Amino acid sequence: MSFSINTNTTAAYANNYLGTARNAMSASLERISTGNQINSAADNASGLSIADSLRSQAHGMGQAMRNANDGISVSQIADSSLGDVNNILDTIRTKAIQAADAGQSTESRQAIQADIDSSLKAIDQIAGTTSYNGQKLLSGNFTNKQFQTGTNPGETTDLSIDSTQTTNLGDMEKSDGSLADIDVTTAEGARRAMEITDQALEQVGTIRSNIGSSQNQLESQINNLASSQINARASESAIRDTDYAEEAMVLNKMEMLTRAGTFAAKHANISKENAVSLLA
């Protein structure tokens, strides 16, 4: 066995492995403290890129779900108001039936007409005031609205709501006129009012049906987005997050290697001491 003084290879090896173990232990502690196994691009460049992309997708899906919920809110507000319109139309039709009876006098029909006029004003008021975020929903201007319910261009859900103003509800052919033309001061006018109201009820029913269909589509889209978001987050977690059970084993191993390296470095000068002892 040779002994030398100028070069202590044993100490060099010991210090080298000790430094490696300490660096590995430091990296392990960082992963444990942050909860991320990728804390910089140097840790895993390709993994970081994929994880960031998955996170971006998940965030986009979250916003798309909020957009879809906005659409559902619009649908619910509009449908609720249309339910009120439907009830008012039922009342108008009932009064029209009352006015069509031969037992009504001119004066009583005029009184019924006054009640109907008040009801018609209520319908126009509903059409003019029902809104969401400053947008009128039943005025006829809320048409071809696109809700961004996907994370890519073109992934939208459309919603259109026709006008429910009294001038736009009634006989589509205008042979009997619109709700605004109702006049029950004569028996014939009362019978026409019944037909106009029937047409208006049918129109409102169609509008509510279309809104309900769009709402179901939005709810389905939310469910799909929620599932996709969970999968995206799970995939990101598999790449980015720390596996604490595995990391605890790594840390324990590095601690033992550090202790062993420290011990080796401490005793690495034995060969130098032995060489000096030969000169004594």
Side-chain angles (χ1 to χ4, degrees):
M1 180 177 183
S2 62
F3 296 101
S4 63
I5 296 176
N6 290 333
T7 303
N8 192 339
T9 306
T10 303
Y13 278 128
N15 285 327
N16 180 55
Y17 288 122
L18 176 60
T20 299
R22 283 175 173 171
N23 289 337
M25 186 171 70
S26 176
S28 181
L29 285 170
E30 182 181 22
R31 288 191 287 269
I32 290 174
S33 62
T34 63
N36 296 324
Q37 59 180 325
I38 302 177
N39 292 288
S40 68
D43 294 334
N44 186 343
S46 60
L48 179 64
S49 177
I50 295 171
D52 285 345
S53 177
L54 289 168
R55 174 175 290 182
S56 178
Q57 290 180 31
H59 288 167
M61 290 172 189
Q63 184 57 57
M65 282 191 284
R66 289 189 288 274
N67 293 347
N69 276 313
D70 287 343
I72 290 176
S73 295
V74 168
S75 300
Q76 291 174 335
I77 291 172
D79 185 63
S80 177
S81 294
L82 287 169
D84 293 335
V85 171
N86 195 89
N87 292 335
I88 294 172
L89 288 173
D90 283 338
T91 300
I92 292 174
R93 191 177 191 282
T94 300
K95 291 184 180 300
I97 294 172
Q98 180 185 5
D101 184 61
Q104 299 296 331
S105 65
T106 300
E107 290 76 13
S108 62
R109 286 195 177 101
Q110 288 175 344
I112 294 172
Q113 180 65 44
D115 288 341
I116 290 177
D117 288 341
S118 296
S119 296
L120 295 174
K121 287 180 181 179
I123 292 176
D124 282 333
Q125 184 177 22
I126 291 173
T129 60
T130 300
S131 63
Y132 179 86
N133 195 25
Q135 299 185 78
K136 305 293 185 183
L137 302 182
L138 305 180
S139 65
N141 293 323
F142 200 88
T143 57
N144 299 320
K145 299 295 184 178
Q146 295 182 331
F147 291 88
Q148 184 66 41
T149 54
T151 57
N152 299 304
E155 295 180 349
T156 60
T157 301
D158 298 340
L159 177 61
S160 292
I161 305 175
D162 293 336
S163 171
T164 58
Q165 294 173 323
T166 56
T167 54
N168 294 304
L169 292 178
D171 192 336
M172 299 300 294
E173 301 299 328
K174 297 299 181 182
S175 58
D176 289 321
S178 66
L179 284 176
D181 300 319
I182 285 180
D183 183 356
V184 298
T185 56
T186 65
E188 181 60 29
R191 285 189 287 271
R192 284 197 300 272
M194 293 164 57
E195 295 176 359
I196 292 172
T197 308
D198 284 339
Q199 289 285 343
L201 284 166
E202 183 177 343
Q203 288 172 268
V204 171
T206 299
I207 295 172
R208 296 186 74 181
S209 177
N210 292 336
I211 290 175
S213 178
S214 295
Q215 183 173 338
N216 289 336
Q217 186 178 353
L218 288 166
E219 290 174 348
S220 176
Q221 186 66 13
I222 288 175
N223 292 335
N224 180 61
L225 285 167
S227 177
S228 298
Q229 186 185 48
I230 290 172
N231 291 331
R233 291 195 181 280
S235 298
E236 180 199 357
S237 175
I239 298 172
R240 192 191 300 275
D241 293 348
T242 297
D243 184 337
Y244 278 92
E246 179 180 355
E247 205 56 50
M249 291 189 294
V250 172
L251 180 62
N252 185 56
K253 175 184 176 181
M254 291 304 106
E255 285 178 340
M256 289 189 291
L257 287 175
T258 299
R259 291 175 184 174
T262 301
F263 177 84
K266 181 178 180 180
H267 293 80
N269 290 321
I270 292 177
S271 60
K272 182 182 292 187
E273 293 172 358
N274 289 336
V276 171
S277 67
L278 294 175
L279 303 175

